[in-house]
Amino acid sequence: MKSIFKKYITLCTLAFIAFGCEKDEDKVIVSPGATASLSASQSNIVLSEEDKSKDAVTFSWKAADYGYDAAVKYSLQFGKKGDNFATAKTEEIGNAFSKTYTVSALNNIATEMELPGFAVSEVEVRVTARISDQYAASSSNIITLAITPFLSEPEYPTVFLVGDATENGWDNAKASAMFRDEADPFVYTYTGNFKAGPFKILGYLGKWAPQWGASSTGDLVFRATDSDPDPSSFSIPANGYYTVKLNLRSNTITIDPFEATGDMYASVGIIGPFTNWENIAPMTKSTLNPHIWTTEYTFAEDTEMKFRIAEGWSVNWGADSDATKARTYDKGKRDGPNIAVLAGKYQIYFNDLTGYYLLVKQP
């Protein structure tokens, strides 16, 4: 009896071992650290609106090796250089081994990453591979791209001059607004009287960043945040009239002397149906720049307006371009057609030397 029992135990043990060995043979071993290998068709990419339908870059990678025929899902991640992908933009790709982005699509990614327009930014890209939520995704090598995005519209309704050369010095809450070029919304211009001394350009009133200043060689430098290095100032060489022009497409600035020969007016204002086309709603003249006028005004409904001196219609400025289309900036002309304005509250700027006007919507 004992002999039979021992034989039974032995057979069970052998069967258990055999079953266990068979299961070991069926186990899937996931190789740790399996990675894909990433490459890009180009590394220096300048994006332009004219080419938005064209291909910008193609990313390719070799399959990640997990030690068996796995169903792998890939993602591309785009991160600002030095951010360690902490705030990366992730694009799900599926099981493909390449991805081509058009200029428009890549520019959209750059916009979502809040990269500055018309400026070179370094972007790190990697591909991640995942077989299951139970396993951590593996990452490829990191490649770095130099991407220059474009903008269809500038982020800034206007920008502001601040510094010793300007009317209110370094008070960033009272900086002087620049006008926008009638043909190119990315060009900001200011023609007026300056004091000799330094100045910078701010993106918003009351904030020191974003900001544009000068490099050691006088080139334009963009300071995106307060944590970025503070650039040097530009300089007005002597008291007098100048035109300062900031071009955000080419990232350049010019400072040119200006011969101010225009008439001086005692009072300029806005006029339209909201004043019954009779008397002007007067604007405030700049102390340093007697050709620059400002006011805040709320239009209760869509309307029309002109700029006019207080004394009558002998001197007035209207629209220079399509008068039927409401524009918040333009270069007005003497005796031009009425300027279309949409309802709302605006800070209004006007330069009677150049005819430039600007309406900045207020909250």
Side-chain angles (χ1 to χ4, degrees):
M1 183 69 178
K2 289 183 179 179
S3 176
I4 294 173
F5 181 73
K6 286 182 179 179
K7 289 179 179 179
Y8 175 76
I9 294 297
T10 301
L11 288 172
C12 287
T13 302
L14 291 173
F16 178 78
I17 292 172
F19 179 77
C21 290
E22 183 179 348
K23 289 298 181 183
D24 281 344
E25 290 174 357
D26 291 342
K27 284 182 179 178
V28 173
I29 307 299
V30 178
S31 301
T35 60
S37 179
L38 178 67
S39 63
S41 59
Q42 61 172 320
S43 59
N44 189 357
I45 307 171
V46 179
L47 306 173
S48 66
E49 193 165 14
E50 296 78 12
D51 297 331
K52 61 184 179 181
S53 62
K54 296 180 180 179
D55 290 343
V57 63
T58 296
F59 298 101
S60 304
W61 54 92
K62 295 180 181 178
D65 183 8
Y66 283 91
Y68 74 104
D69 189 14
V72 184
K73 299 295 184 183
Y74 296 99
S75 301
L76 277 168
Q77 289 189 319
F78 299 81
K80 295 179 181 178
K81 187 173 178 62
D83 191 41
N84 199 28
F85 295 95
T87 58
K89 164 67 177 172
T90 300
E91 296 267 300
E92 302 294 339
I93 305 301
N95 57 6
F97 299 118
S98 68
K99 173 66 176 179
T100 297
Y101 287 93
T102 64
V103 168
S104 179
L106 189 60
N107 198 74
N108 289 339
I109 292 174
T111 300
E112 292 180 23
M113 294 175 66
E114 298 182 344
L115 302 182
F118 310 109
V120 180
S121 293
E122 289 190 302
V123 175
E124 294 180 328
V125 186
R126 69 183 180 185
V127 65
T128 62
R130 183 183 294 275
I131 57 172
S132 169
D133 291 338
Q134 297 178 358
Y135 298 97
S138 62
S139 299
S140 73
N141 57 301
I142 297 172
I143 60 177
T144 300
L145 306 181
I147 299 179
T148 304
F150 67 84
L151 298 175
S152 297
E153 274 291 324
E155 177 182 350
Y156 316 98
T158 185
V159 294
F160 301 88
L161 296 162
V162 65
D164 291 339
T166 67
E167 184 165 11
N168 295 301
W170 291 102
D171 187 343
N172 65 2
K174 296 180 180 179
S176 302
M178 299 183 72
F179 296 87
R180 291 170 70 176
D181 187 88
E182 74 278 16
D184 189 341
F186 292 94
V187 175
Y188 299 84
T189 183
Y190 187 93
T191 297
N193 192 27
F194 287 85
K195 294 180 282 188
F199 74 92
K200 293 182 177 183
I201 300 176
L202 307 178
Y204 301 103
L205 281 176
K207 297 182 179 181
W208 290 110
Q211 174 193 131
W212 293 266
S215 69
S216 59
T217 58
D219 294 327
L220 190 70
V221 174
F222 179 65
R223 184 193 190 201
T225 68
D226 288 322
S227 60
D228 292 320
D230 193 12
S232 299
S233 300
F234 298 103
S235 183
I236 297 295
N239 293 348
Y241 280 79
Y242 295 84
T243 294
V244 175
K245 186 173 289 188
L246 172 70
N247 189 326
L248 295 187
R249 288 190 192 275
S250 60
N251 288 299
T252 57
I253 187 170
T254 57
I255 305 170
D256 296 313
F258 181 84
E259 186 68 31
T261 58
D263 295 330
M264 294 285 189
Y265 303 108
S267 182
V268 169
I270 57 174
I271 191 169
F274 47 91
T275 65
N276 295 317
W277 291 109
E278 295 176 354
N279 298 318
I280 64 169
M283 304 178 76
T284 300
K285 182 192 296 190
S286 163
T287 302
L288 178 64
N289 291 288
H291 296 283
I292 303 291
W293 306 82
T294 62
T295 191
E296 184 176 89
Y297 199 88
T298 299
F299 300 97
E301 59 186 4
D302 295 353
T303 187
E304 296 177 328
M305 60 166 272
K306 279 189 153 188
F307 297 95
R308 202 197 76 176
I309 62 172
E311 293 80 2
W313 287 100
S314 60
V315 179
N316 71 87
W317 297 263
D320 189 27
S321 56
D322 186 357
T324 64
K325 182 179 179 181
R327 295 193 67 183
T328 56
Y329 64 94
D330 203 351
K331 186 174 185 178
K333 68 178 180 180
R334 292 279 291 269
D335 301 314
N338 298 340
I339 300 166
V341 184
L342 298 179
K345 181 180 179 181
Y346 296 89
Q347 186 69 32
I348 304 174
Y349 304 88
F350 177 63
N351 187 333
D352 67 48
L353 270 179
T354 62
Y356 278 118
Y357 63 85
L358 174 71
L359 288 77
V360 180
K361 194 76 175 286
Q362 301 298 294

